[in-house]
Amino acid sequence: MREEPAARAPKALAGGPTTRPLGAVGRDTLAALLEVRDLHVTFRPDVRAVRGVSLSLDAGQTLGVAGESGSGKSTVALSLLRLLPSSAQVSGEILVAGEDVLRMNWGRLRAVRWADASIVFQGAMSALNPVRTIGEQIREPILLHDKVGTRAARERTAALLDAVGVPARRAGAYPHELSGGQRQRVMIAMALACRPNLIVADEPTTALDVIVQAQILQLVTDLVHEAKISMIMISHDLSVLADTCDALAVMYAGRIVEIGDSRAIMAEPRHPYTRALSSAFPAIGDPASRLAPSGLTGDPPDPRRIGPGCPFQPRCAEAFDDCRTRDVELWPAGSGHAACLLVLPDRARSASPTRGNLAQSGEAAS
Amino acid sequence: MSALTAPPRIGRARRFAGQFFRMPTAIAGVAILGVFTIAALTAPLYIHSSDLDVTQATGGQLAPPSRHYPLGTDQPGRSVLLLLIWGARASLAIGVIATLLAVVLGSAIGLLAGHYQRWLGRGLMHLTDWFIAVPSLPLAISLAAVLGQGATSITIAIAITSWTATARLIRAQTLTVEARPFIERARALGAGNVQIMVRHVLPNVAPLILVSTTLTVAGAILAETTLTFLGLGNPTEVSWGTMINEAYTGSAVSRGAWWYLLPPGIAIVVVVLGFTMTGRAIEHILDPRMATR
Amino acid sequence: MSDVLAAELGAARGGGAPRWYRSSFWTYLGGKLLGATISFLVMLVIGFTIFNVMPSDPVAMLARQHPTDPAQKAALRHQLGLDLPVWHRFLNFVGHTLQGKLGDSWQYHQSVASLIGERLWPTVLLIGSATLISVALGLWLGIRAGWRHGSAFDRTASGVSLVLWSVPTFWLGLILLVLFTVGAGPIPSGLFPAGLMSTPGFSGSWLAHVGDTVHHLILPCLTLVLVIFAQYVTIMRSSIIDELGSPYLLTARAKGLRDDDVRRRHAVPNALLPSVTVIFLQLGTIVGGAIAVETVYSWPGLGFLTFQALQIPDLPLLEGTFIVLSASVIVMNLIADMLYRVLDPRVRQQ
């Protein structure tokens, strides 16, 4: 259900927060299911984990968020339901079905949690309570949010377990009695319990072996499409996201550096970081990708000390002088957006590059 | 920090002192200990045997506090304040000596148990576990009773009931230290067992021994006062425990002579707190994860 | 204090399921019973060494009471079996102990076993009530303090616990005794009885008798509670703090549960498990506290009996109380081990 984004004037938005959410997936409509506007998250004392993230999601759309650890992707996910520790400073707006999560009162927030949006956490072994049966844990949100009795809750639990491929009779089992793949299925069943409109899957397949990984991904994709649930999937594995999600957002150092239709991005990544990421996970069956050099040197920047200019510049193979001083934003690139000076029309670049296209610098001079 | 050589000690000590004196509980603890130690050590300078002699008491019997006797007097008429200061000597001495014995014994057993991991180590650990299974106060009472009344018996009794905590701690730490590469290197260079334990392991477990010592002294002082109160100490000696014992057996309790009953107990609480706070502060600096936060 | 215990706590809960998880229940029970039996035997060895090997000459001690001539002393020695070799005496000792024959008291003309029998119930009553109240109070405070880790409530609770642990039990008992019997300031005198378990010469219905006993129980129980509940606060607080960072708590919050429910339904059951074991292991300290409290209040239990045995000293009686008190602690440790195994679902197979 992917649509070409409606024609928009490619505004080069210089500085300041965006008034229109970028990375809108689907039709340009005011009734987006999820809208994040200029989200900033700072952990004490001065760790800026998320530095201005904006996106929006329609009903039934799937968005993949990719990035290394420390890019801020999990922080964004947790902030959607205001699950960050109270010491975190959060600013911006997060609109779930029009209501700002960050400004709701507690009662409303607790009602929204799980019923409107739920999360499939990574590491199911520690995300499940070890001393309660999985049946109890799935029933818990049902009894809390839906006004039903225990018997109805048990029936629904059995149906959910069935839908994810876990035998219903295992409802009395404890988490440690199940295999890793089964635990992950239980997490998915739990997330679906209250029929949310949005599911956030945070690294749902990390720590699973490849075959189970494929099964889980297929399960998630099928369930989400059947029930027309929107999904945000977070992973460091770009190829996984490309297969399962309509749209893709790549995060680096707390910002989105590229966003757009997933297939378009995989076919032609515009940001050097995306290029590096996609070559790190060769597409199976594509001989060319196996031969292409991959691997990024260096580490992501320290979130306490992010200076001016493009944060990716120190590790970028295509960086030039301007990259160190000019602030980057999400500019239109192809069918999506990318935060890289390279995507700007030649006229917008100034000064001679130390590396890069000599022909372009020749044009700039003339 | 190179894992192959033992780290330089002077720099570490200085860093430790810096961290230590930044913690308010540490400063309070050391201050308390300082005051009491100085008071106990300098007492002979201003307390004469006449002050402590029951036959030479000049104050009224069980008189409440007055200007001349800031803490009142006891049954025979001695100044409670002077008794309190003199009593610190006995309690602190027994506490410290018993602890030293216990810590030396416990550390030796812990070190051996951690180093010789097969039958000797396991045997020592079983021995420690069996000792722990026996409740400490009944054991101490029994030992002190059989050894006869007096400070020596109490000291030995406390030492024998206090070594197990140190042994367990030092054994755990020995195991950790011996897992580090520099021990393997020493072994490869031909160091014998004793040499490894004394020259390599011991300096690294020494800080923990210090922690264990301070915390054990706290318990030892409590034990000493309890045993003395139960009548196992030397009744002619002045200690905090005997003062409370006399308050109990004499008429101080029924006559409501709180000035005789309160000060020794408060002194005990303060000194024990001093040792505990200091010990916990050291523990926290050494390994914040291990301290009970 | 419980620093070592806390470390053990952490070690027991940290790295993975210990080896004993995977053995079957009966193997585990058998292993623990064996351990307890060995502990018991070692305790008997210690007791024997202290009371029968160390004293220079029990007969001389006895003889101090009544004038005896050498022939009587020799006969006494034979009667007490002192002329047998050590190992023989030890075996006799073990045999007699297991049969409940603990000798005769030197000061009371009664067998040690019967004396202990008389004094057992008051101690059980005192320790039982104090433990129940302390556990409840300690858990309640510890959970709340740990949950709001670092708050003023937490720091106050921790500070109070620390101070209470530093207070000598017997002194606290005396203070409370003076306070409530003699009275001080606004507190009237005679509010509580000055010791013993019941008013002498009390006559009345059974219910009135119970009321009288409870009246006498309040101060000793309060003293013991004040000293030991601090341990439980610390234990529970550490447990909860250990759980605070657990991912399953985040899941519970994400489901929309209130903070109280997250704490009660998820954090507490997980924190309670390892605490249960440690709670039972505190019995050694409680027994020590009970000796002091019973002595101060003349509460007619085993603790007071121990104190009374210190006169002379009455070695057979002292030995008897030592054995009985130590054996109870060993049994409690065994129960603690089994309880943990039973309660943890990760272990409760088949």
Side-chain angles (χ1 to χ4, degrees):
Chain A
M1 239 205 308
R2 299 169 350 259
E3 295 182 32
E4 285 294 307
R8 273 174 250 129
K11 286 186 259 176
L13 300 144
T18 57
T19 46
R20 261 202 75 258
L22 288 172
V25 178
R27 285 158 294 130
D28 188 0
T29 167
L30 289 167
L33 175 69
L34 171 72
E35 244 186 74
V36 178
R37 293 183 184 158
D38 195 40
L39 180 67
H40 284 260
V41 178
T42 308
F43 293 110
R44 283 212 214 110
D46 51 1
V47 177
R48 300 166 62 205
V50 179
R51 308 179 302 127
V53 164
S54 303
L55 49 89
S56 79
L57 205 58
D58 268 349
Q61 306 298 313
T62 50
L63 170 70
V65 179
E68 289 169 291
S69 42
S71 56
K73 49 194 203 300
S74 287
T75 310
V76 171
L78 289 178
S79 61
L80 294 179
L81 285 178
R82 225 160 102 189
L83 286 169
L84 293 172
S86 49
S87 56
Q89 295 153 314
V90 184
S91 71
E93 289 177 307
I94 297 180
L95 304 173
V96 173
E99 282 182 81
D100 187 359
V101 167
L102 298 176
R103 278 159 198 88
M104 285 178 187
N105 62 41
W106 277 104
R108 181 75 193 126
L109 178 65
R110 277 186 286 114
V112 162
R113 278 180 181 170
W114 223 254
D116 285 353
S118 62
I119 304 186
V120 177
F121 290 98
Q122 59 176 310
M125 185 62 232
S126 41
L128 288 171
N129 189 335
V131 301
R132 292 237 182 284
T133 63
I134 57 167
E136 281 175 302
Q137 299 191 53
I138 298 178
R139 277 200 300 281
E140 190 171 28
I142 301 175
L143 292 169
L144 182 68
H145 292 279
D146 308 334
K147 307 281 183 277
V148 293
T150 320
R151 182 144 35 133
R154 275 187 211 271
E155 283 166 10
R156 174 133 178 86
T157 305
L160 285 166
L161 285 174
D162 216 23
V164 298
V166 172
R169 59 184 158 76
R170 303 294 320 247
Y174 288 94
H176 68 277
E177 293 172 345
L178 304 175
S179 70
Q182 284 177 315
R183 278 196 289 269
Q184 204 60 33
R185 292 169 193 265
V186 167
M187 291 291 293
I188 295 169
M190 207 161 67
L192 292 168
C194 298
R195 300 185 185 82
N197 297 316
L198 168 66
I199 289 190
V200 179
D202 191 353
E203 307 264 14
T205 55
T206 315
L208 295 175
D209 63 66
V210 180
I211 298 193
V212 178
Q213 221 180 60
Q215 288 172 344
I216 299 289
L217 286 173
Q218 189 64 50
L219 176 68
V220 169
T221 321
D222 290 343
L223 288 171
V224 158
H225 278 158
E226 258 176 56
K228 299 205 182 19
I229 301 178
S230 306
M231 181 176 71
I232 298 180
M233 188 181 288
I234 297 173
S235 179
H236 55 274
D237 187 340
L238 209 59
S239 51
V240 156
L241 297 176
D243 278 340
T244 48
C245 301
D246 306 326
L248 195 55
V250 180
M251 282 189 68
Y252 187 79
R255 278 204 179 147
I256 298 181
V257 296
E258 184 156 7
I259 185 165
D261 176 78
S262 58
R263 252 152 259 209
I265 291 184
M266 288 311 284
E268 205 188 334
R270 298 287 174 143
H271 194 284
Y273 179 60
T274 319
R275 280 200 272 267
L277 267 190
S278 65
S279 61
F281 296 92
I284 296 179
D286 176 10
S289 69
R290 264 192 285 139
L291 298 171
S294 60
L296 274 175
T297 52
D299 293 316
D302 184 346
R304 283 168 293 194
R305 279 182 239 116
I306 300 181
C310 173
F312 186 60
Q313 175 266 331
R315 300 162 84 186
C316 184
E318 302 163 55
F320 50 95
D321 268 347
D322 266 4
C323 296
R324 249 171 288 164
T325 51
R326 278 190 70 176
D327 280 333
V328 289
E329 281 153 25
L330 282 170
W331 292 297
S335 60
H337 293 75
C340 180
L341 291 175
L342 291 169
V343 311
L344 286 177
D346 303 333
R347 270 169 282 140
R349 275 192 244 151
S350 58
S352 50
T354 49
R355 286 172 275 185
N357 205 321
L358 286 173
Q360 286 174 334
S361 67
E363 277 185 40
S366 63
Chain B
M1 179 168 87
S2 154
L4 293 181
T5 53
R9 309 222 191 108
I10 309 289
R12 271 208 305 186
R14 212 171 287 153
R15 248 183 300 133
F16 175 86
Q19 271 180 295
F20 185 77
F21 286 105
R22 231 171 279 150
M23 298 179 63
T25 48
I27 299 175
V30 172
I32 293 174
L33 296 184
V35 164
F36 275 90
T37 313
I38 294 176
L41 288 175
T42 59
L45 296 177
Y46 52 85
I47 299 182
H48 315 289
S49 55
S50 55
D51 295 316
L52 306 170
D53 196 337
V54 291
T55 55
Q56 295 182 40
T58 50
Q61 288 192 352
L62 270 186
S66 58
R67 213 152 52 113
H68 196 64
Y69 294 101
L71 284 177
T73 62
D74 68 346
Q75 191 84 18
R78 300 175 288 183
S79 163
V80 171
L81 179 62
L82 295 180
L83 289 176
L84 189 70
I85 299 176
W86 194 259
R89 294 167 61 87
S91 296
L92 284 175
I94 295 180
V96 168
I97 295 176
T99 301
L100 285 176
L101 290 174
V103 167
V104 165
L105 180 62
S107 303
I109 292 185
L111 209 60
L112 288 170
H115 185 78
Y116 295 101
Q117 284 177 50
R118 270 165 292 154
W119 54 270
L120 180 60
R122 302 248 302 269
L124 284 174
M125 277 332 284
H126 280 305
L127 177 70
T128 314
D129 285 338
W130 294 326
F131 240 89
I132 292 180
V134 178
S136 49
L137 192 60
L139 180 60
I141 291 176
S142 308
L143 270 169
V146 161
L147 291 169
Q149 273 187 319
T152 330
S153 324
I154 292 184
T155 311
I156 296 176
I158 296 175
I160 293 191
T161 50
S162 311
W163 63 266
T164 50
T166 309
R168 278 188 144 177
L169 201 63
I170 299 302
R171 173 179 175 261
Q173 188 66 4
T174 306
L175 289 176
T176 312
V177 169
E178 296 217 346
R180 292 192 201 146
F182 81 94
I183 294 285
E184 263 189 59
R185 179 172 178 266
R187 238 188 271 261
L189 288 178
N193 279 318
V194 174
Q195 210 182 5
I196 292 181
M197 284 194 290
V198 172
R199 284 196 56 212
H200 298 274
V201 179
L202 195 57
N204 281 290
V205 301
L208 229 62
I209 294 182
L210 180 62
V211 171
S212 196
T213 309
T214 39
L215 294 175
T216 309
V217 175
I221 293 181
L222 282 175
E224 181 268 332
T225 51
T226 308
L227 290 172
T228 322
F229 168 75
L230 290 172
L232 291 162
N234 188 340
T236 58
E237 279 229 10
V238 174
S239 83
W240 291 333
T242 54
M243 287 173 76
I244 305 181
N245 182 317
E246 280 172 25
Y248 169 65
T249 54
S251 46
V253 168
S254 48
R255 277 157 66 168
W258 55 268
W259 57 90
Y260 191 35
L261 187 57
L262 239 71
I266 295 180
I268 297 173
V269 173
V270 171
V271 167
V272 169
L273 271 177
F275 278 106
T276 312
M277 286 197 286
T278 311
R280 292 260 185 101
I282 302 177
E283 191 182 41
H284 184 83
I285 296 174
L286 287 181
D287 185 358
R289 280 170 299 128
M290 218 197 78
T292 45
R293 297 168 205 92
Chain C
M1 203 207 202
S2 53
D3 307 295
V4 170
L5 284 171
E8 298 287 307
L9 200 69
R13 294 187 49 238
R19 232 181 324 124
W20 51 264
Y21 266 7
R22 295 176 229 137
S23 59
S24 84
F25 179 78
W26 298 109
T27 318
Y28 180 74
L29 176 62
K32 288 297 166 183
L33 269 176
L34 184 65
T37 314
I38 298 182
S39 288
F40 183 74
L41 284 172
V42 169
M43 181 268 290
L44 286 182
V45 168
I46 294 175
F48 180 75
T49 314
I50 295 177
F51 292 101
N52 298 301
V53 172
M54 283 171 61
S56 38
D57 191 0
V59 174
M61 269 196 253
L62 264 180
R64 266 188 269 134
Q65 300 225 297
H66 322 278
T68 39
D69 60 34
Q72 279 177 305
K73 283 192 196 168
L76 202 55
R77 221 166 261 134
H78 183 75
Q79 189 190 7
L80 291 173
L82 293 173
D83 46 358
L84 293 168
V86 175
W87 61 268
H88 195 181
R89 284 165 57 194
F90 180 64
L91 287 175
N92 286 344
F93 169 70
V94 173
H96 289 156
T97 305
L98 291 175
Q99 289 172 49
K101 289 197 244 165
L102 294 165
D104 294 314
S105 159
W106 289 347
Q107 46 180 336
Y108 308 107
H109 301 291
Q110 234 182 308
S111 75
V112 169
S114 70
L115 276 170
I116 290 180
E118 280 171 20
R119 307 290 195 93
L120 187 61
W121 163 243
T123 298
V124 169
L125 180 62
L126 177 63
I127 290 186
S129 56
T131 307
L132 281 173
I133 298 176
S134 304
V135 168
L137 189 61
L139 288 189
W140 190 86
L141 274 175
I143 290 175
R144 267 168 185 68
W147 192 246
R148 285 177 184 66
H149 179 41
S151 67
F153 180 82
D154 178 31
R155 276 179 282 134
T156 316
S158 306
V160 168
S161 302
L162 183 61
V163 171
L164 280 176
W165 183 80
S166 310
V167 171
T169 316
F170 60 93
W171 179 74
L172 185 63
L174 280 175
I175 298 282
L176 287 176
L177 191 61
V178 169
L179 208 57
F180 287 104
T181 54
V182 175
I187 303 175
S189 71
L191 203 60
F192 286 103
L196 301 181
M197 188 165 159
S198 47
T199 318
F202 185 88
S203 62
S205 67
W206 173 84
L207 197 63
H209 230 64
V210 168
D212 184 48
T213 307
V214 168
H215 192 214
H216 282 82
L217 180 62
I218 291 179
L219 279 186
C221 187
L222 176 66
T223 311
L224 202 49
V225 164
L226 280 174
V227 171
I228 61 180
F229 95 97
Q231 296 266 44
Y232 298 132
V233 170
T234 311
I235 290 168
M236 208 49 209
R237 180 179 170 274
S238 293
S239 279
I240 286 267
I241 291 177
D242 277 340
E243 293 299 321
L244 280 180
S246 302
Y248 66 84
L249 289 181
L250 190 61
T251 311
R253 279 201 193 92
K255 286 185 193 170
L257 288 170
R258 324 177 94 97
D259 196 50
D260 279 349
D261 289 335
V262 173
R263 184 191 71 222
R264 243 185 306 126
R265 279 199 239 168
H266 293 271
V268 169
N270 277 280
L272 219 47
L273 273 183
S275 314
V276 161
T277 317
V278 190
I279 285 172
F280 271 86
L281 293 177
Q282 293 300 316
L283 193 70
T285 326
I286 299 178
V287 161
I291 295 179
V293 168
E294 287 187 16
T295 306
V296 165
Y297 290 97
S298 307
W299 181 265
L302 289 177
F304 190 42
L305 191 62
T306 310
F307 173 71
Q308 288 171 314
L310 286 174
Q311 322 306 320
I312 310 179
D314 188 345
L315 289 184
L317 186 57
L318 202 56
E319 184 179 42
T321 55
F322 173 75
I323 291 175
V324 169
L325 289 175
S326 305
S328 335
V329 172
I330 292 176
V331 167
M332 279 300 147
N333 288 358
L334 180 65
I335 295 180
D337 285 334
M338 297 316 300
L339 209 60
Y340 186 42
R341 166 99 190 192
V342 161
L343 289 178
D344 190 334
R346 279 167 285 199
V347 163
R348 223 196 303 155
Q349 312 277 7
Q350 299 94 30

